[in-house]
């Protein structure tokens, strides 16, 4: 007789005994093959050689185990798969109903339970049923079988991220992370109904609102685009948002092949030829294979057509990579056998070659290839994985000649390289974005079997239980396409200029090069450093002085480049005042003034008002120099650059005029030549030029944001951005993004390149005006406070009491060291940093 110590697992269709000694085999007995199941006395003999006897450490549980096995055995002997599944589920629900969460497991006697329900803890290929309980301090899961622990406890204060999940194609999953960037979660729960899942999710989400920020695909995109998170971190976050989890092999996180050179003795990360084309799926990388096998078959195929008979991510492919660290999963998936030795993951180079040339192999990689744990590449468990045709045993994975112990480091360096950073958005378009489905997917040769896409099949609508289970099994084993996160082109990453590095650079050198600032001359360095310092200390703005020089609402503030002279306007019914340098003031007797512009030459200024005219005034003499009639309704805002005047109006147009400053200042009758008229669907309320003067952004009364090319006066993008009037728009200093605020009390960031809405940040009250540096925003709104926002976390990080009524306008000097605000309280306030 042989006695082995280990753990006994009663599964839905089998009994598994896992010995404590790793070198001994796992015993799996299908219940349908059992002839008799019964309890025996400890001293009973073993008359039949094929009998297996398990002696429990807790004898009192023997009868319970036997009864459970008998019920499961009866289920496994039923003819139809649907009947088997229904009986197993009924048996499980009966056991759950007879038990409840043991509140003696609470960490504190003062804890107050909020809800309790049944659920299953999910791990790869296994779900463990039990009871969930959430209190005002902790989330608990208590397995029915007290395995692997009698209770799993997670403090709500330690939770960093939570995600709703599809499990088995149904919205029943919830995954909880207590870290920000880890691949593995702390618990994955599958509920028996969506109502319980959602109640638990919203309870935790409400608790977290006061502690952390809930991130969306757009907020992560903004962080990635500006270099605040790495390519690796961004891909992890996108996988999480797209329902990918390491606990679900059918929806395992998917990462791209990025290197194409696995044969050279040295890896050159500065050579574009070393990299895979990220704009194409794996199946389209080999043009000859694509045309000969895939496209021709696709053309002749009846609807619904697809190009690839296998997916880029499936349970089989995941375990292909991980068999050396998770052999039990492959044995479970393949009925106790490993795959043929020549089909195992033997070589990185061979696997890449097969993905390029094989007729059915289009798989991508998994996150482990860019992590820090290389154990999945080594046969540390000394597994007998078979012999290859050449006679050699399957052992460690053969690495490229350019790698040794630094393979994962070089893979990560490639992922974070400048080339990949500049092209990763193209791969995201294929996997998570607008090229995942529809005509764009067809054009990109990115069409997979219809069953792989979310929402194509509703398994709950299939009435026949056997058909339903067969369909579900087919979908889960074939692989699933991630949930679509983006429906418009993904913007490119803003990549800094890299320092020159040698081809043999280490990972650390590559990352340091990546994070280094672009080379600038000393003067620019000084200017940029002063701006950075000013923005990082915006919370230290202090009021210097306050002036009430207007009789009504202050509508506009501007200053000269030197900052020595300041202009302000107000909304006064009979007399409109303009204040110059806060020393010289004079009145302009014409109808309601809306906005104005001070010119760079500081020779004259320009005013526009409700009477549809634009006036040019001489600063030296304080008199009107010229008048321009050009719109059919009120002029809302103006811009002037490079002898071109841009006038926005409530008549739904922006007009571009040629206007030479020297002609006006020399007392000549100015010649205004209309160059272009930019049509909108509603009144234009605000406009802004990009820093380089090549783009124009406009916001309308109906909430539409438009981006125009100045050279051609053509419309690049038009986005339904806000649900009400847009108060102000402004480009970021690098012209990559546009920030807008509107009546809907939201701050919105739009990508200039794609026209995609990157981020929506709700505010407690309507924001009317702002300045920003691309990351941090200083805004003024209805409350009268100045708010400092961190757009990456979508949070107000500081609040400065300011006006007694709404803030209507804000101006910042070139060095970002001085701020002037105006409000409905008729006050003009001067602010400076107090370091």
């Amino acid at each position: 007789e042989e006695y082995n110590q280990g753990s006994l697992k009663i599964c839905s269709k089998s009994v598994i005994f896992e010995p404590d000694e790793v070198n001994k085999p796992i015993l799996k007995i299908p219940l349908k093959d059992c002839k008799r199941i019964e309890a025996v006395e400890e001293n009973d003999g073993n008359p039949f050689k094929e009998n297996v006897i398990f002696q429990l450490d807790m004898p009192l549980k023997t009868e319970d185990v036997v009864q459970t096995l008998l019920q499961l055995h009866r289920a496994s002997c039923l003819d139809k798969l649907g009947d088997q599944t229904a009986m197993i589920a009924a048996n499980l629900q009966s056991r759950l109903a007879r038990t409840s969460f043991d509140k003696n497991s609470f960490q504190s006697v003062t804890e107050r339970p909020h809800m309790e329900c049944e659920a299953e803890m999910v791990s790869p290929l296994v779900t463990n049923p039990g009871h969930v309980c959430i209190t005002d301090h902790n989330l608990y899961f208590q397995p029915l079988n007290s395995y692997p622990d009698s209770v799993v406890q997670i403090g709500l204060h330690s939770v960093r991220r939570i995600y709703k999940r599809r499990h088995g194609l149904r919205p029943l999953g919830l995954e909880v992370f207590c870290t920000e960037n880890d691949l593995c979660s702390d618990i994955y729960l599958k509920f028996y109904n969506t109502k319980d899942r959602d109640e638990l999710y919203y309870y935790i989400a409400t608790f977290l609102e006061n502690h952390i920020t809930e991130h969306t695909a757009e907020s992560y995109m903004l962080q990635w685009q500006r270099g605040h998170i790495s390519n690796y971190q961004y891909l992890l976050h996108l996988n999480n948002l797209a329902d990918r989890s390491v606990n679900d092999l059918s929806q395992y996180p998917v990462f791209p092949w990025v290197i194409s050179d696995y044969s050279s003795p040295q890896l050159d990360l500065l050579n574009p030829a070393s990299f895979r084309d990220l704009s194409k799926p794996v199946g389209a990388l080999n043009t000859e294979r694509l045309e000969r096998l895939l496209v021709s078959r696709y053309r002749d195929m009846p609807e619904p057509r697809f190009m690839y008979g296998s997916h880029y991510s499936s349970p089989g492919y995941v375990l292909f990579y991980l068999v050396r660290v998770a052999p039990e999963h492959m044995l479970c998936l393949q009925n106790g056998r490993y795959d043929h030795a020549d089909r195992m993951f033997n070589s990185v180079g061979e696997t890449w070659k097969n993905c390029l040339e094989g007729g059915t192999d289009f798989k991508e990689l998994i996150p482990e290839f860019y992590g820090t744990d290389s154990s999945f590449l080594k046969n540390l468990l000394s597994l007998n994985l078979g012999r290859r045709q050449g006679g050699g045993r399957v052992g460690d994975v053969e690495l490229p000649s350019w790698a040794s112990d630094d393979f994962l480091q070089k893979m990560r360096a490639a992922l974070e390289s400048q080339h990949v950073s500049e092209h990763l958005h193209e791969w995201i378009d294929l996997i998570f974005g607008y090229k995942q489905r529809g005509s764009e997917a067809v054009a990109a040769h990115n069409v997979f079997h219809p069953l792989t896409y979310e929402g194509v099949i509703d398994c709950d609508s299939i009435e026949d239980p056997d058909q339903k289970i067969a369909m579900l099994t087919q979908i889960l084993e074939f692989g699933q396409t991630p949930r679509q996160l983006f429906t418009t082109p993904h913007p490119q990453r803003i990549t800094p200029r890299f320092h020159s590095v040698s081809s043999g650079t280490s990972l650390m050198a590559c990352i340091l090069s990546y994070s280094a600032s672009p080379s600038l001359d000393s003067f620019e360095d000084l200017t940029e450093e002063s701006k950075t310092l000013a923005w990082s200390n915006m919370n230290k703005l202090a009021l210097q002085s306050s002036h009430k020089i207007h009789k009504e609402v202050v509508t506009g503030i501007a200053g000269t480049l030197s900052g020595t002279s300041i202009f302000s306007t107000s909304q006064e019914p009979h007399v409109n005042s303009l204040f110059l340098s806060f020393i010289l003031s004079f009145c302009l007797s014409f109808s309601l003034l809306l906005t104005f512009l001070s010119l760079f030459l500081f020779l004259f200024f320009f005013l526009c008002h409700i009477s549809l005219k634009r006036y040019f005034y001489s600063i030296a003499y304080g008199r009107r120099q010229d008048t321009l009639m050009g719109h059919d309704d009120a002029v809302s805002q103006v811009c002037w650059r490079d002898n071109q005047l841009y006038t926005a109006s409530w008549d739904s147009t922006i007009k571009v005029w040629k206007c030479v400053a020297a002609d006006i200042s020399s007392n000549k009758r100015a010649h205004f030549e209309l160059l272009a008229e930019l049509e909108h669907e509603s009144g234009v309320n605000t406009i802004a030029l990009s820093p380089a003067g090549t783009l124009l952004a406009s916001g309308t009364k109906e909430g539409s944001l438009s981006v125009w090319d100045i050279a051609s006066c053509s419309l690049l993008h038009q986005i339904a951005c806000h649900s009400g009037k847009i108060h102000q728009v402004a480009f970021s200093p690098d012209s990559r993004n546009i920030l807008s605020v509107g009546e809907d009390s939201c701050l919105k960031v739009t990508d200039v390149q794609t026209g995609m809405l990157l981020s929506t940040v709700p505010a407690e009250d309507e924001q009317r005006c702002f300045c920003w540096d691309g990351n941090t925003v200083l805004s003024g709104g209805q409350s009268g406070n100045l708010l400092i926002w961190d757009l990456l976390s979508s949070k107000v990080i500081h609040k400065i009491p300011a006006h007694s009524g709404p803030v209507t306008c804000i101006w910042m000097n070139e060095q970002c060291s001085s701020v002037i605000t105006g409000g409905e309280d008729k006050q003009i306030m001067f602010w400076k940093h107090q370091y």
Side-chain angles (χ1 to χ4, degrees):
E1 294 183 1
E2 184 180 359
Y3 294 91
N4 292 314
Q5 191 76 18
S7 57
L8 180 67
K9 300 178 181 178
I10 311 300
C11 302
S12 56
K13 297 182 180 181
S14 63
V15 177
I16 295 176
F17 177 75
E18 186 174 346
D20 291 340
E21 296 182 43
V22 177
N23 61 343
K24 291 190 175 181
I26 296 172
L27 180 63
K28 179 179 180 180
I29 305 173
L31 289 171
K32 63 182 177 61
D33 294 340
C34 295
K35 297 293 186 283
R36 190 169 71 251
I37 299 173
E38 62 185 8
V40 296
E41 296 297 328
E42 187 174 347
N43 296 322
D44 279 0
N46 185 11
F48 300 103
K49 187 177 179 181
E50 63 269 21
N51 281 4
V52 179
I53 297 177
F54 298 105
Q55 181 175 328
L56 303 183
D57 289 340
M58 302 176 68
L60 294 178
K61 283 195 171 184
T62 301
E63 188 60 33
D64 183 41
V65 170
V66 169
Q67 289 304 313
T68 300
L69 283 171
L70 288 172
Q71 291 172 344
L72 293 172
H73 178 255
R74 284 196 293 273
S76 67
C77 293
L78 296 174
D79 293 332
K80 291 188 175 182
L81 187 61
D83 293 339
Q84 293 179 22
T85 304
M87 187 170 179
I88 292 169
N91 178 38
L92 174 60
Q93 290 302 318
S94 174
R95 292 192 67 212
L96 286 169
R98 295 196 306 268
T99 58
S100 61
F101 183 85
D102 181 5
K103 294 181 175 59
N104 290 320
S105 301
F106 282 175
Q107 291 288 302
S108 170
V109 293
T110 61
E111 284 189 70
R112 290 177 290 127
H114 171 71
M115 70 171 288
E116 180 185 339
C117 64
E118 293 82 26
E120 297 176 11
M121 187 168 66
V122 179
S123 56
L125 301 179
V126 177
T127 59
N128 199 359
H131 296 276
V132 169
C133 183
I134 190 166
T135 71
D136 51 346
H137 289 95
N138 293 290
L139 170 65
Y140 296 95
F141 176 76
Q142 203 166 64
L144 267 182
N145 54 11
S146 299
Y147 182 87
D149 300 296
S150 59
V151 67
V152 177
Q153 178 254 328
I154 295 174
L156 296 184
H157 279 283
S158 65
V159 175
R160 289 294 170 267
R161 294 175 288 144
I162 53 172
Y163 297 100
K164 292 181 180 180
R165 295 280 187 235
R166 282 181 304 154
H167 187 274
L169 302 185
R170 301 182 65 199
L172 300 173
L174 180 71
E175 194 161 20
V176 180
F177 291 78
C178 293
T179 56
E180 188 57 43
N181 296 307
D182 276 4
L183 182 60
C184 298
S185 64
D186 290 80
I187 194 169
Y188 186 150
L189 295 171
K190 174 214 164 186
F191 295 79
Y192 295 110
N193 61 75
T194 305
K195 179 177 176 293
D196 286 344
R197 191 276 305 266
D198 289 347
E199 183 178 351
L200 192 73
Y201 174 86
Y202 288 118
Y203 183 83
I204 299 176
T206 303
F207 180 89
L208 297 181
E209 276 183 353
N210 299 322
H211 301 89
I212 64 171
T213 302
E214 181 181 2
H215 287 291
T216 62
E218 289 75 19
S219 65
Y220 280 128
M221 179 205 295
L222 193 61
Q223 292 185 56
W224 170 78
Q225 194 185 20
R226 299 193 167 278
H228 292 274
I229 57 176
S230 66
N231 293 340
Y232 175 81
Q233 291 171 323
Y234 185 44
L235 290 177
L236 275 187
H237 290 313
L238 292 185
N239 273 284
N240 270 317
L241 291 168
D243 275 341
R244 314 300 284 192
S245 168
V246 295
N247 288 305
D248 186 349
L249 296 181
S250 66
Q251 298 189 96
Y252 204 83
V254 56
F255 269 58
W257 290 93
V258 297
I259 295 174
S260 63
D261 180 7
Y262 296 95
S263 58
S264 298
Q266 297 290 328
L267 178 63
D268 185 359
L269 294 182
L270 297 181
N271 182 2
S274 299
F275 296 93
R276 163 254 182 108
D277 185 348
L278 289 166
S279 68
K280 298 177 180 178
V282 169
L285 292 174
N286 183 337
T287 307
E288 189 273 333
R289 175 183 64 177
L290 179 69
E291 293 295 332
R292 177 174 54 86
L293 291 178
L294 305 172
V295 174
S296 59
R297 184 181 64 186
Y298 176 79
R299 293 194 189 106
D300 298 335
M301 188 181 295
E303 294 290 347
R305 297 187 294 175
F306 55 90
M307 291 184 186
Y308 308 110
S310 63
H311 205 254
Y312 51 77
S313 176
S314 69
Y317 287 158
V318 173
L319 295 178
F320 169 84
Y321 291 127
L322 297 180
V323 62
R324 290 167 177 81
V325 290
E328 68 277 15
H329 297 330
M330 177 171 277
L331 292 173
C332 178
L333 202 65
Q334 300 198 158
N335 295 319
R337 289 183 172 85
Y338 295 120
D339 201 352
H340 189 280
D342 285 303
R343 290 197 296 268
M344 299 287 277
F345 181 31
N346 294 302
S347 162
V348 176
E350 284 182 13
T351 302
W352 168 247
K353 182 180 179 182
N354 198 55
C355 288
L356 287 182
E357 299 175 359
T360 59
D361 192 351
F362 315 108
K363 59 178 170 284
E364 292 279 8
L365 295 181
I366 56 177
E368 283 79 357
F369 279 86
Y370 302 102
T372 58
D373 184 0
S374 61
S375 59
F376 75 101
L377 300 169
K378 301 172 183 178
N379 190 6
L380 299 176
L381 298 176
S382 301
L383 301 170
N384 183 6
L385 300 174
R387 290 185 179 273
R388 304 188 67 181
Q389 286 184 352
R393 282 193 173 278
V394 175
D396 296 346
V397 177
E398 181 186 342
L399 302 177
S401 55
W402 45 256
S404 54
D405 292 336
D406 62 349
F407 173 68
L408 294 187
Q409 285 182 299
K410 288 183 176 178
M411 290 288 285
R412 182 66 174 269
L415 181 65
E416 305 297 344
S417 66
Q418 182 174 15
H419 179 88
V420 173
S421 294
E422 291 174 348
H423 294 278
L424 187 59
H425 66 286
E426 298 171 334
W427 185 82
I428 292 171
D429 284 335
L430 295 169
I431 307 301
F432 303 104
Y434 82 112
K435 291 184 180 180
Q436 187 194 91
R437 301 186 182 209
S439 59
E440 293 288 350
V442 175
H445 304 111
N446 194 40
V447 183
F448 295 86
H449 194 284
L451 291 180
T452 68
Y453 296 93
E454 180 184 15
V456 172
I457 294 292
D458 179 11
C459 285
D460 289 336
S461 66
I462 302 175
E463 295 182 359
D464 185 278
D466 292 337
Q467 288 184 9
K468 179 186 293 188
I469 293 170
M471 178 65 72
L472 180 60
T473 302
Q474 179 184 353
I475 292 172
L476 296 181
E477 290 184 356
F478 188 85
Q480 297 178 64
T481 299
R483 185 164 64 86
Q484 189 174 25
L485 300 178
F486 308 105
T487 55
T488 57
H490 192 289
Q492 188 177 18
R493 190 173 198 182
I494 303 169
T495 54
R497 285 171 284 177
F498 280 58
H499 295 303
S500 178
V501 291
S502 66
S503 59
T505 183
S506 67
L507 172 67
M508 183 57 68
C510 180
I511 291 177
L512 288 174
S513 172
Y514 175 81
S515 60
S517 299
S519 299
L520 301 169
D521 60 49
S522 59
F523 177 76
E524 290 175 326
D525 272 341
L526 184 62
T527 304
E528 290 306 312
E529 284 179 10
S530 64
K531 289 181 179 179
T532 302
L533 179 65
W535 276 104
S536 64
N537 288 278
M538 201 57 68
N539 61 323
K540 297 179 180 176
L541 275 182
L543 183 63
Q544 303 297 300
S545 60
S546 179
H547 306 268
K548 192 172 182 180
I549 61 171
H550 291 288
K551 296 181 179 179
E552 294 296 336
V553 176
V554 180
T555 57
I557 298 172
T560 57
L561 287 178
S562 63
T564 57
S565 299
I566 305 298
F567 305 85
S568 65
T569 58
S570 69
Q571 206 173 66
E572 299 176 25
H574 303 296
V575 177
N576 293 275
S577 54
L578 177 106
F579 185 67
L580 174 61
S581 300
F582 297 102
I583 299 172
L584 169 68
S585 62
F586 53 94
C587 291
L588 308 171
S589 50
F590 51 87
S591 60
L592 182 62
L593 183 69
L594 290 180
T595 187
F596 71 96
L597 178 72
S598 61
L599 298 183
F600 294 148
L601 298 179
F602 196 47
L603 297 175
F604 56 92
F605 56 88
F606 168 78
L607 301 166
C608 59
H609 65 102
I610 202 73
S611 68
L612 324 181
K613 299 179 181 179
R614 280 142 307 287
Y615 293 87
F616 292 83
Y617 271 76
S618 164
I619 288 177
Y621 300 102
R623 67 189 181 198
R624 188 167 65 194
Q625 195 87 347
D626 211 339
T627 305
L628 174 63
M629 184 77 181
H631 285 279
D632 298 326
D633 204 337
V635 178
S636 54
Q637 194 168 353
V638 295
C639 295
W640 190 327
R641 186 186 177 98
D642 298 331
N643 291 327
Q644 285 192 180
L645 180 67
Y646 304 84
T647 60
S649 172
W650 293 346
D651 67 3
S652 303
T653 67
I654 298 172
K655 293 188 178 181
V656 185
W657 312 80
K658 182 179 180 182
C659 179
V660 181
D663 292 344
I664 303 173
S665 59
S666 61
N667 249 343
K668 295 179 182 177
R669 177 69 184 176
H671 174 66
F672 293 94
E673 178 186 350
L674 181 62
L675 302 177
E677 187 170 324
L678 312 180
E679 295 283 349
H680 294 70
E681 295 179 358
S682 59
V684 183
N685 200 57
T686 180
I687 56 175
L689 282 167
S690 66
T694 56
L695 299 171
L696 180 75
S698 58
T700 70
K701 287 185 171 184
E702 302 299 325
S704 178
L705 172 68
S706 300
V707 184
W708 304 83
D709 177 67
I710 293 298
S712 61
C713 290
S714 59
L715 180 65
L716 301 178
H717 305 292
Q718 188 174 58
I719 310 107
C721 194
H722 292 266
S723 58
K725 181 196 297 183
I726 297 179
H727 293 307
Q728 185 181 345
V729 296
F731 286 86
S732 58
D734 57 13
S735 298
R736 299 275 187 150
N737 301 126
I738 296 171
L739 179 65
S740 55
V741 296
E743 281 183 336
D744 56 3
S745 300
C746 287
L747 291 79
K748 301 203 175 189
V749 180
T750 303
D751 180 70
V752 172
Q753 182 187 23
T754 64
M756 182 178 185
L757 186 63
L758 297 179
S759 179
T760 298
V761 183
E764 289 184 0
D765 63 306
E766 185 179 329
Q767 300 301 294
R768 300 272 292 273
C769 52
F770 66 88
C771 299
W772 75 314
D773 71 340
N775 290 322
T776 307
V777 180
L778 175 67
S779 70
Q782 293 294 106
S783 68
N785 296 319
L786 298 181
L787 303 180
I788 301 170
W789 301 78
D790 175 23
L791 288 182
L792 296 179
S793 64
S794 304
K795 276 188 173 182
V796 175
I797 56 178
H798 195 69
K799 184 184 295 185
I800 304 173
H803 293 265
S804 58
V807 183
T808 53
C809 50
I810 187 168
W811 176 85
M812 183 181 290
N813 68 348
E814 184 74 14
Q815 296 76 29
C816 307
S817 58
S818 298
V819 174
I820 304 175
T821 59
E824 286 191 7
D825 59 1
K826 309 165 194 173
Q827 296 278 351
I828 294 176
M829 295 183 174
F830 282 74
W831 307 82
K832 289 188 78 69
H833 295 88
Q834 295 287 354
Y835 296 115

